[in-house]
Amino acid sequence: DDIVEMKISNDPTFADAPTWDPFGQDVPWTIAAGPGELARVYVRFKDDHGNESVGTEVGVITYAPYASYMPVIMRDR
C-alpha cells in the first residue's frame, strides 16, 4: 500500500535506471533478450517514507514473440 516509487532494469546493478519512477501496475517494459532467450527483469521499490526495498525482485521471462507450426500430412499407401 505504501509503495510510491520503483526502478526497473534489465541490469542487476540498475546502471540503466539512475532515477526513481512513480510506482504503477502494468508498466510497459522492453526486455533485453532475443527470441527464445531468457531475460531477467530487476525491480526495486521505495515507500512513502523513503525506505528502499531490502532485496531486488527478479522476474525471469522467456521471450517467445511468435511460434511457427508446420502442418503434418500423412498419406496412406
Side-chain angles (χ1 to χ4, degrees):
D1 291 348
D2 61 347
I3 297 173
V4 293
E5 294 180 304
M6 64 184 179
K7 284 185 177 185
I8 304 175
S9 178
N10 293 316
D11 178 5
T13 67
F14 290 87
D16 59 350
T19 60
W20 290 90
D21 295 319
F23 175 76
Q25 296 286 340
D26 301 323
V27 175
W29 187 252
T30 303
I31 59 174
E37 293 180 349
L38 190 63
R40 287 178 176 80
V41 178
Y42 304 88
V43 183
R44 306 267 338 247
F45 300 101
K46 190 187 287 187
D47 68 13
D48 57 357
H49 296 288
N51 300 311
E52 295 183 26
S53 53
V54 176
T56 300
E57 297 294 324
V58 180
V60 179
I61 300 164
T62 300
Y63 180 51
Y66 54 83
S68 297
Y69 298 96
M70 298 292 290
V72 176
I73 300 171
M74 297 178 69
R75 269 185 8 199
D76 189 19
R77 289 184 185 220

